[in-house]
C-alpha cells in the first residue's frame, strides 16, 4: 500500500511476502523521483551484512574509508546539510535502515529545496543564484566550495546546496562559511534559516523499528536534533551514487 506524506514523501508497505531487496530498481527510482523521500515500512529487517548488496541492486555505492555501510553513532545535533559534497562523486541517494528504533526521540528532518526555491520571488532567486560558499572544517575537516543554487544532476531542477554553519559555542567541530557574490552574508544566513525551517518545505521522519528510508540527496537537505546516549538506536546508512 502507498500513502503520500505532506508536504512531500511516500510511505510504502509490503504486499504479502515482499521484501525490500526484491523491489524493482526502476520502481524505486520513480517513487523517489516523484516524492523525494520514500519510507519503506513493515518489510522484513535486513542484516547489516546484506544491506550493501540490497542497495547495490539500485545503483553503484560510494565507498568510504570505513566501507559502504556507515553506522550512525553520533548523538550530537547536526544542522541542515547534504551528504558528500567533498566526495569524488556526491551520492544521489541516501539509504537508511533502522532495525530497532527507541521508544521516542529519534527523528530526522528533511527540507525539499526544490519547493523552497520555487517559493522565491524572481529578485530573491537572482540574488541567491550568484552566491558561492566555501566551507572550512566540519565533520569532514576539509575545504570545499559549492554554488548556493545548483542544478539537480538527474532532473535538471534548481536545488539548494547549503550546509548550515556550526556555532563554535554549540558544536565541538566548527564549520565556517566564506561567502562570495553577496554583500550581506549574515543577512543571507538568517534568510536561509527562516526558509529552511519553514514547515511548508519540511518533513520530519520519526523512526519506527524496521524502517528503510530512501532519500534524494540532491533535492533535499537533512538535519537532526541531539539524541540522549541512553536511547541510541542502531541506524545504518548507505550512499548510492
Ligand atoms: Fe547527513
Amino acid at each position: 500500500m502507498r500513502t503520500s506524506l505532506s508536504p512531500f514523501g511516500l510511505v510504502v508497505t509490503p504486499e504479502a511476502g515482499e521484501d525490500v531487496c526484491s523491489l524493482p530498481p526502476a520502481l524505486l527510482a520513480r517513487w523517489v523521483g516523484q516524492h523525494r523521500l520514500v519510507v519503506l515500512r513493515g518489510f522484513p529487517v535486513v542484516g547489516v551484512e546484506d544491506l550493501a548488496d540490497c542497495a547495490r541492486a539500485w545503483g553503484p555505492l560510494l565507498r568510504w574509508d570505513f566501507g559502504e555501510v556507515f553506522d550512525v553513532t553520533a548523538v550530537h545535533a547536526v544542522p541542515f546539510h547534504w551528504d558528500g559534497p567533498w566526495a569524488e562523486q556526491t551520492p544521489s541517494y541516501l539509504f537508511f535502515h533502522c532495525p530497532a528504533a527507541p521508544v521516542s526521540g529519534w527523528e530526522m528532518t528533511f527540507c525539499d529545496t526544490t519547493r523552497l526555491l520555487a517559493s522565491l520571488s524572481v529578485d530573491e532567486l537572482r540574488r541567491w543564484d550568484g552566491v558561492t560558499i566555501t566551507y572550512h572544517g566540519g565533520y569532514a575537516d576539509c575545504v570545499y566550495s559549492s554554488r548556493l543554487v545548483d542544478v539537480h544532476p538527474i532532473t535538471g531542477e534548481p536545488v539548494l546546496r547549503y550546509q548550515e554553519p556550526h556555532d563554535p559555542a554549540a558544536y565541538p567541530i566548527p564549520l565556517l562559511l566564506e561567502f562570495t557574490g553577496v554583500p550581506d552574508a549574515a543577512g543571507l544566513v538568517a534568510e536561509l534559516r527562516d526558509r529552511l525551517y519553514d514547515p511548508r518545505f519540511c518533513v520530519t521522519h520519526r523512526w519506527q523499528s524496521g524502517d528503510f528510508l530512501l532519500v534524494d540527496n540532491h533535492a533535499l537537505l537533512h538535519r537532526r536534533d541531539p539524541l540522549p546516549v541512553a536511547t541510541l538506536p542502531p541506524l545504518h546508512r548507505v550512499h548510492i551514487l
Side-chain angles (χ1 to χ4, degrees), residues 2 8 28-29 51 57 59 62 68 74 77 98 103 123 140 153 201 221 234 239:
R2 297 174 218 165
F8 63 91
L28 276 168
L51 195 63
L62 182 59
E68 294 170 326
C98 182
V103 174
D123 283 349
F201 314 129
L221 300 176
H239 283 142

Side-chain angles (χ1 to χ4, degrees), residues 27 45 47 67 72-73 76 92 103 118 138 142 158 176 193 211 222 232 241:
L27 183 61
V45 166
V72 180
T73 55
H76 50 70
S92 294
V103 174
C142 61
L176 304 176
R193 184 171 174 84
D211 275 358
H222 59 285
L232 186 68
L241 293 173

Side-chain angles (χ1 to χ4, degrees), residues 34-55:
Q34 287 176 347
H35 299 279
R36 311 296 190 199
L37 175 150
V38 179
V39 182
L40 303 166
R41 178 163 286 161
F43 289 83
V45 166
V46 172
V48 65
E49 63 284 352
D50 295 325
L51 195 63
D53 287 339
C54 182

Side-chain angles (χ1 to χ4, degrees), residues 1-6 8-15 23 28 31-32 35-43 203-206 208 211-214:
M1 193 173 83
R2 297 174 218 165
T3 308
S4 293
L5 299 172
S6 178
F8 63 91
L10 181 72
V11 179
V12 178
T13 54
E15 307 292 334
L23 292 171
L28 276 168
W31 284 341
V32 78
H35 299 279
R36 311 296 190 199
L37 175 150
V38 179
V39 182
L40 303 166
R41 178 163 286 161
F43 289 83
V203 161
T204 294
H205 177 72
R206 295 176 178 84
Q208 294 186 18
D211 275 358
F212 297 85
L213 194 61
L214 189 62

Side-chain angles (χ1 to χ4, degrees), residues 6-237:
S6 178
F8 63 91
L10 181 72
V11 179
V12 178
T13 54
E15 307 292 334
E18 201 172 33
D19 68 71
V20 161
C21 303
S22 66
L23 292 171
L27 183 61
L28 276 168
R30 182 156 60 81
W31 284 341
V32 78
Q34 287 176 347
H35 299 279
R36 311 296 190 199
L37 175 150
V38 179
V39 182
L40 303 166
R41 178 163 286 161
F43 289 83
V45 166
V46 172
V48 65
E49 63 284 352
D50 295 325
L51 195 63
D53 287 339
C54 182
R56 198 175 287 109
W58 308 331
L61 306 185
L62 182 59
R63 187 169 185 84
W64 295 97
D65 293 345
F66 52 78
E68 294 170 326
V69 180
F70 178 67
D71 288 342
V72 180
T73 55
V75 293
H76 50 70
V78 182
F80 273 120
H81 65 286
W82 80 103
D83 275 9
W86 56 86
E88 57 184 66
Q89 184 178 341
T90 298
S92 294
Y93 306 107
L94 316 178
F95 179 53
F96 294 98
H97 183 31
C98 182
V103 174
S104 64
W106 191 213
E107 299 177 351
M108 209 175 271
T109 297
F110 299 87
C111 176
D112 183 349
T113 70
T114 64
R115 286 167 189 262
L116 187 161
L117 289 173
S119 77
L120 297 184
S121 69
V122 172
D123 283 349
E124 285 172 322
L125 186 57
R126 189 179 300 127
R127 193 157 45 78
W128 288 22
D129 202 19
V131 176
T132 295
I133 304 173
T134 300
Y135 298 89
H136 300 262
Y139 297 108
D141 193 22
C142 61
V143 178
Y144 52 94
S145 295
S146 173
R147 289 165 49 93
L148 177 62
V149 179
D150 205 350
V151 175
H152 194 299
I154 298 171
T155 67
E157 296 165 283
V159 293
L160 194 66
R161 301 289 200 184
Y162 184 59
Q163 313 256 2
E164 280 191 280
H166 298 184
D167 178 357
Y171 291 92
I173 306 173
L175 176 68
L176 304 176
L177 278 56
E178 181 186 342
F179 291 80
T180 56
V182 59
D184 177 14
L188 178 63
V189 168
E191 206 174 350
L192 281 161
R193 184 171 174 84
D194 282 349
R195 300 279 184 165
L196 287 169
Y197 288 76
D198 187 324
R200 289 178 299 160
F201 314 129
C202 291
V203 161
T204 294
H205 177 72
R206 295 176 178 84
W207 293 101
Q208 294 186 18
S209 293
D211 275 358
F212 297 85
L213 194 61
L214 189 62
V215 176
D216 182 336
N217 186 48
H218 297 304
L220 306 187
L221 300 176
H222 59 285
R223 59 172 288 275
R224 66 172 191 258
D225 289 325
L227 192 70
V229 174
T231 61
L232 186 68
L235 178 66
H236 311 299
R237 188 209 62 207

